[in-house]
C-alpha cells in the first residue's frame, strides 16, 4: 500500500483592507506578535503598502512620533490595525474604494523593510 501524505506547503501571507481597519492573516501577523505599534507607509511608484513593526526599544526611546504610530492588536490567528483615517488615506493614495466589501492582497515580510503588501498586483 502506498500512502500519499497531504502537505499544505508554505502558507501565503495576506492583508485585508476594510474601511475601518487593516487585518493581517496569521502568516503576515507573525512579525508583529511581540510589538505594540507599527508604522504604515506607501511606495506609490511600486504600488506597495508597507507595514513596519516598531521594536519596543524604539518606542521607549521615543524615536517614532505618536502621530506616526499605529497600535497593533495581536490575536491568536490574526493581527489588526484599526484606524478609519489611515484606511481612508490608503484608499485615496492607491485609488481603492474601501467600503463594505473588503479587499484582500498578497503580502510578504522582508527583514529590514517590513510587511510588503502588493497593491499593484490586484486583490486575491
Amino acid at each position: 500500500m502506498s500512502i500519499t501524505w497531504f502537505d499544505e506547503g508554505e502558507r501565503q501571507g495576506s492583508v485585508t483592507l476594510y474601511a475601518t481597519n487593516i487585518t493581517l492573516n496569521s502568516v503576515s501577523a507573525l512579525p508583529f506578535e511581540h510589538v505594540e505599534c507599527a508604522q504604515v507607509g506607501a511606495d506609490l511608484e511600486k504600488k506597495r503598502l508597507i507595514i513596519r513593526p516598531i521594536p519596543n526599544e524604539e518606542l521607549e526611546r521615543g524615536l517614532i512620533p505618536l502621530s506616526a504610530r499605529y497600535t497593533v492588536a495581536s490575536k491568536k490567528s490574526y493581527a489588526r490595525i484599526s484606524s478609519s483615517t489611515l484606511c481612508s488615506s490608503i484608499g485615496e493614495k492607491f485609488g481603492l474604494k474601501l467600503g463594505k466589501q473588503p479587499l484582500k492582497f498578497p503580502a510578504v515580510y522582508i527583514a529590514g523593510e517590513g510587511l510588503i503588501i502588493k497593491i499593484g498586483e490586484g486583490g486575491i
Side-chain angles (χ1 to χ4, degrees):
M1 173 167 71
S2 177
I3 299 173
T4 301
W5 297 105
F6 294 97
D7 181 358
E8 286 187 30
E10 190 173 321
R11 292 188 52 221
Q12 171 71 45
S14 67
V15 170
T16 306
L17 300 177
Y18 297 86
T20 59
N21 70 74
I22 302 169
T23 301
L24 290 63
N25 75 347
S26 60
V27 173
S28 294
L30 284 174
F32 299 87
E33 279 183 326
H34 302 291
V35 299
E36 297 173 27
C37 297
Q39 282 185 296
V40 180
D43 180 344
L44 297 176
E45 196 172 291
K46 294 183 181 178
K47 296 184 180 177
R48 304 182 315 168
L49 181 67
I50 298 105
I51 304 174
R52 183 182 82 87
I54 302 173
N56 293 331
E57 305 82 52
E58 285 186 32
L59 289 177
E60 290 168 6
R61 291 188 294 200
L63 298 176
I64 310 297
L66 285 172
S67 61
R69 301 177 193 175
Y70 293 94
T71 302
V72 178
S74 293
K75 305 296 182 188
K76 185 175 179 180
S77 61
Y78 67 93
R80 181 170 288 150
I81 298 171
S82 296
S83 172
S84 296
T85 304
L86 172 62
C87 292
S88 177
S89 294
I90 290 169
E92 287 176 24
K93 289 282 186 197
F94 289 102
L96 301 172
K97 187 172 182 172
L98 300 176
K100 292 182 181 181
Q101 291 296 334
L103 301 176
K104 189 173 182 179
F105 297 95
V108 62
Y109 184 78
I110 299 174
E113 285 190 56
L115 184 67
I116 309 298
I117 298 99
K118 303 163 193 167
I119 303 291
E121 294 182 16
I124 295 176

